[in-house]
Every structure is written in structure tokens, then in C-alpha cells.
Amino acid sequence: SSGINAEYGGDGPGFDKSCWFDVKFTLGLDFPNLPYLMDGDVKLTQTVSILHYLSAKTGLYPKSSNPADISRYDMIDHVIIDFFLVGVRLCYSPPDAFAANKAAVIERGKDFMKQFSSALGDNKYFAGDDITGTDFLMFEAIDMFVKLDSAFIEQDNLKKFMERIKELPQLQKYFTSPDSTHNWALNNKHASFR
């Protein structure tokens, strides 16, 4: 299982943070946090470590055995998290701060996009022709900014990258079904931008 398995349907009756805090330190996690993943004897927290584990397990880990290549993909994953957090902090800021800071945060995000565009270059994916977990993390982070500003992506190679992900046959149901989690709110009810 990973995280708290519940469908989003609005506020549950009597919901409070105890559903996590009551079990947080009883799960045998070395660093209890959300998200978490339990797969047999494997117990992980932290987005990037979970991404790397699932990528390796499903064949979406970089094919290169060169430590420099692997480190580069790892570095990109961590920069994606930095980029993502810029947007998340805006979304969870008070409504007046959200309104006052949105344009500056979008510009800060565009600075990251220039770097991502350079890192992608003429490649199909961030590891060349091979899709990896990094590509899905990148898609999710960029997609959040697109929801904040529909004209956010300025670089042609990143526009094409996003389209390539959207066109993957395995993801068609995810992108087209009205019941897909892709249509859920980005953030919980405490965010100014959901």
C-alpha cells in the first residue's frame, strides 16, 4: 500500500489529522512521512526515493550504468522537486499572498523551465529515447504550473515533451476518463489554489 488509500469525495465526516498522526510512528518507517510506500519488506518515504524504487521495479529506471548519467538523472529529479515546491508554496499561501505573488512565482517557474529545456535538448525524454520515472515526475510538476497559467510552457521542446507523455497509449484512460485522478484537485482544502 502507499499512503492513505481513500477516494477524494470532499470532506469526510469528522475528518482530522489524527488519521495520519495516530499511525505515523507505528508503521515501521525509518523516516515517517507522506507519501510512503510499503512493498513487502520494503518501506520507503520521500517522493524521489519512492520514484527511484518504482522506476527500477517497473523498468523505468535509466538504462545507463554510467554513474555520471545516473547522478545526472538523480539531480534532475531533485531539481524537479525544488521547482514543484515553488508552486506548492504559492498554492498553500493565504489568498491575498497567492494573488500578490502568483505572477512572480510563475516567472520563477519559467526560470526553471529554461533549465529543463536546456537539459532536455533535442531528446524525446530526459534520458534520451528511453522514458524513465523522471519524465513522469517532470510532467506532473509542469502540469501543476500549466493549471496555474495555461500559457506557462514557452519552449517548443517542452511542449512536445508534454504531448509525448499525454499520447502514451498506456495513459489514455488516465487523461480521458472523467473519473481519473488527473481531474482531481491538485491540493487539499487548506490550499488557496486547489
Side-chain angles (χ1 to χ4, degrees):
S1 70
S2 62
I4 297 171
N5 185 13
E7 289 186 25
Y8 179 82
D11 294 334
F15 172 80
D16 64 50
K17 294 178 184 177
S18 67
C19 69
W20 166 240
F21 291 116
D22 286 355
V23 299
K24 180 177 180 175
F25 294 103
T26 66
L27 300 173
L29 299 166
D30 291 334
F31 301 97
N33 203 352
L34 295 174
Y36 68 85
L37 174 124
M38 293 182 181
D39 184 28
D41 293 336
V42 176
K43 296 181 178 183
L44 296 172
T45 57
Q46 299 300 325
T47 300
V48 172
S49 64
I50 293 169
L51 173 73
H52 289 181
Y53 175 78
L54 292 174
S55 295
K57 189 169 180 171
T58 60
L60 292 172
Y61 201 71
K63 306 292 186 261
S64 175
S65 59
N66 180 333
D69 290 342
I70 299 300
S71 294
R72 179 179 180 271
Y73 309 136
D74 186 54
M75 175 183 65
I76 292 170
D77 290 337
H78 286 86
V79 175
I80 295 168
I81 295 297
D82 292 344
F83 167 62
F84 187 74
L85 289 175
V86 168
V88 168
R89 286 185 191 107
L90 173 69
C91 292
Y92 280 90
S93 63
D96 58 334
F98 177 87
N101 295 322
K102 182 180 174 185
V105 168
I106 295 295
E107 288 308 310
R108 176 70 181 113
K110 287 181 179 183
D111 290 341
F112 277 94
M113 293 291 280
K114 292 173 190 168
Q115 296 172 357
F116 294 145
S117 178
S118 177
L120 180 61
D122 294 330
N123 295 318
K124 286 175 60 176
Y125 302 108
F126 283 86
D129 288 337
D130 298 319
I131 194 166
T132 67
T134 296
D135 298 300
F136 294 104
L137 185 62
M138 181 69 77
F139 179 91
E140 181 182 3
I142 293 173
D143 193 50
M144 177 191 61
F145 273 90
V146 168
K147 289 177 180 173
L148 287 165
D149 176 3
S150 62
F152 179 72
I153 306 172
E154 297 174 342
Q155 297 81 8
D156 286 339
N157 65 340
L158 291 174
K159 288 177 185 177
K160 290 175 185 172
F161 165 80
M162 295 294 282
E163 286 305 313
R164 269 192 289 282
I165 298 290
K166 286 181 184 177
E167 292 170 358
L168 290 170
Q170 303 91 326
L171 295 181
Q172 288 312 295
K173 184 177 179 185
Y174 172 74
F175 287 116
T176 60
S177 171
D179 299 326
S180 170
T181 57
H182 187 263
N183 299 316
W184 289 6
L186 291 173
N187 301 298
N188 72 36
K189 66 181 182 176
H190 300 291
S192 294
F193 184 84
R194 297 188 57 208

